[in-house]
Structures are given as C-alpha cells and as structure tokens.
C-alpha cells in the first residue's frame, strides 16, 4: 500500500531531482578544474618560459633606458655627457649619428643640443665638413678675461635688445671661464630676469643696457 501511495512517487521524484542537481554540480566542478589546469600548464608555463628565455628582461631594460631620458631633461643629459668627455686639448671630435644612437634619439635632437648648448655665445665653435660621415669637431674657445669680456661687449653693441636666454648663455660662459662665481651668476640672473624688469615697457632693451654695464664693471675690477 505504501509503494502505491502518491506520496511515495513524490518522494522518488524529489530524490531523483536532488541527485540530478548533485551530479550536475560535480560535473561542473570537474570541468572547471580541468579548464583551470589546462590554462595553467599551457598559458602560465608558456609565459614563464618566455621570461626565462630573457626576451622580456631585455625589452624591460630597453624601456627603462628610454624612460630614464624621457623623465630627465634630455638636452641637459646630452650636454653633460659631451662636457664629461672633453679633454684639455679643447677640441672634441665626435659622431652625431653615434651620439644619437647612444641616447636613442633622432639626429635632429643632437643638432638642437649643439646649436643651443655649444654656440658662440657660450664660447664654443662647431666645425663640420661635407662628406665627413657625420663627424663634427667642437672647439672650446679659451680666451683671457679681457678678451672674453670684450667679445661679449662687441656682440652687445651689435644688437638692440637682449633676451634672457642669450644673457644666460653669456653668464654660463663667464662662469665656466671663472670670470664670475656661481653666486655672482645667480645674482646677475635675478637682476636681469623678466620679473625684475616687468615694470619696464621694453625689458629686453633695458636688459641689454644693464648687462653691458655689468660687463664694463667686470673689465674694470
């Protein structure tokens, strides 16, 4: 009588549904574990092999090298490097292409540094020849105090106004040749800065006159 009871059939049906759900969950867990193992052994292990081969390490070193010069002022880096290999001969021969390759930059970047950091205002002359294979010679002008100041005065007489950047070039040359100290250089920079001359309508012309009087004072002392 119990076997033919309707409650018995309901119990069997519920048990079958529970068993089906349990088997489904077990099968799902098993498939998920298999996929996880497959991903680990064929993907993670593959990445480890690439890392161990040194490919990623080499690329990371190159990225770090480029990032170093992108954070710092690249022009300053190149300028300091050139100054560090200068000898007492005051003549330095180097290749623009090799220098560009060393810093991983275009040759135009090297040309920019040479034209702005090693110009006549700073006491340098660039010598280059056609067909020279990209080689140039940087000549450092070494004059005595009077000659240097007289040269700067002649250049000031040939212009109507003086920008702060060009005045800064003159000051760097005077400091390099030990005509002025680093403290004197900072004081002169402050005196001829755009902020100090902001109340004057033509600040560039006033800067030229002030700078000229400073050069005359340096000759007399």
């Amino acid at each position: 009588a119990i076997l033919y009871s309707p409650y018995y059939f309901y119990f069997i049906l519920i048990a079958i549904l529970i068993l089906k759900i349990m088997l489904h969950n077990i099968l799902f867990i098993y498939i998920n574990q298999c996929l996880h193992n497959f991903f680990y052994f064929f993907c993670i292990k593959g990445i480890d092999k690439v890392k161990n081969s040194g490919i990623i390490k080499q690329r990371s070193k190159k990225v770090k090298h480029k990032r170093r010069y992108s954070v710092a002022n690249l022009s300053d880096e190149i300028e300091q490097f050139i100054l560090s290999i200068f000898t007492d001969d005051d003549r330095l021969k180097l290749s623009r292409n090799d220098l560009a390759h060393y810093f991983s930059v275009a040759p135009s970047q090297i040309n920019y540094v040479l034209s702005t950091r090693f110009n006549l205002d700073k006491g340098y002359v660039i010598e280059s020849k056609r067909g020279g294979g990209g080689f140039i010679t940087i000549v450092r002008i070494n004059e005595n105090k009077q000659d240097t100041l007289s040269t700067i005065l002649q250049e000031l007489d040939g212009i109507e106004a003086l920008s702060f950047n060009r005045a800064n070039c003159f000051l760097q040359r005077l400091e390099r040749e030990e005509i002025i100290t680093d403290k004197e250089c900072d004081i002169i920079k402050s005196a001829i800065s755009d902020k100090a001359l902001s109340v004057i309508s033509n600040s560039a012309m006033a800067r030229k006159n002030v700078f000229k009087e400073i050069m005359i004072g340096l000759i007399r002392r």
Side-chain angles (χ1 to χ4, degrees):
I2 297 176
L3 293 176
Y4 294 100
S5 173
Y7 296 105
Y8 177 77
F9 290 103
Y10 289 139
F11 175 77
I12 295 297
L13 182 60
I14 293 172
I16 293 173
L17 290 175
I18 294 174
L19 181 61
K20 184 178 180 181
I21 293 172
M22 292 177 63
L23 290 175
H24 180 270
N25 291 336
I26 293 173
L27 182 62
F28 176 77
I29 294 173
Y30 176 76
I31 294 174
N32 186 40
Q33 186 65 31
C34 291
L35 292 175
H36 179 269
N37 293 336
F38 175 82
F39 175 78
Y40 177 78
F41 286 105
F42 289 92
C43 296
I44 302 299
K45 290 295 184 180
I47 293 175
D48 291 338
K49 290 181 180 180
V50 174
K51 287 183 177 180
N52 294 331
S53 65
I55 296 176
I56 293 180
K57 291 180 180 179
Q58 292 176 0
R59 290 180 179 177
S60 63
K61 287 182 179 180
K62 290 183 179 180
V63 171
K64 288 181 180 179
H65 178 72
K66 291 182 179 180
R67 187 175 299 171
R68 173 192 171 190
Y69 291 108
S70 62
V71 174
N73 191 316
L74 183 57
S75 297
D76 290 340
E77 292 279 351
I78 299 174
E79 179 189 9
Q80 293 302 319
F81 176 79
I82 295 175
L83 291 175
S84 65
I85 59 178
F86 242 108
T87 61
D88 296 334
D89 190 25
D90 293 330
R91 296 179 67 90
L92 176 64
K93 186 177 181 180
L94 52 83
S95 171
R96 278 180 288 198
N97 296 331
D98 292 343
L99 199 59
H101 179 72
Y102 179 82
F103 285 95
S104 300
V105 298
S108 58
Q109 180 68 36
I110 304 300
N111 293 334
Y112 171 78
V113 174
L114 293 174
S115 61
T116 57
R117 308 300 179 93
F118 295 91
N119 50 36
L120 187 60
D121 292 342
K122 290 192 174 183
Y124 296 93
V125 175
I126 305 295
E127 297 179 351
S128 61
K129 296 181 180 180
R130 290 184 178 180
F135 281 89
I136 61 169
T137 302
I138 304 177
V139 181
R140 182 168 52 192
I141 302 173
N142 271 332
E143 300 175 332
N144 56 38
K145 173 185 174 182
Q146 299 296 328
D147 291 339
T148 299
L149 294 173
S150 298
T151 301
I152 294 177
L153 282 175
Q154 290 177 2
E155 294 189 28
L156 292 174
D157 290 334
I159 58 177
E160 295 182 358
L162 178 64
S163 66
F164 180 78
N165 291 333
R166 189 171 185 184
N168 189 33
C169 292
F170 288 139
L171 291 174
Q172 289 180 6
R173 179 179 179 181
L174 295 175
E175 184 180 358
R176 177 175 61 83
E177 297 183 13
E178 298 182 352
I179 297 176
I180 60 175
T181 64
D182 56 343
K183 292 183 179 181
E184 291 174 337
C185 182
D186 293 336
I187 293 173
I188 297 173
K189 284 182 181 180
S190 300
I192 62 174
S193 64
D194 293 333
K195 184 178 180 180
L197 303 176
S198 60
V199 296
I200 303 175
S201 58
N202 196 338
S203 59
M205 185 177 293
R207 181 181 296 111
K208 175 216 167 180
N209 294 332
V210 172
F211 198 85
K212 183 178 180 179
E213 292 300 321
I214 294 175
M215 296 301 101
I216 295 174
L218 290 175
I219 292 177
R220 292 174 178 174
R221 77 172 182 178

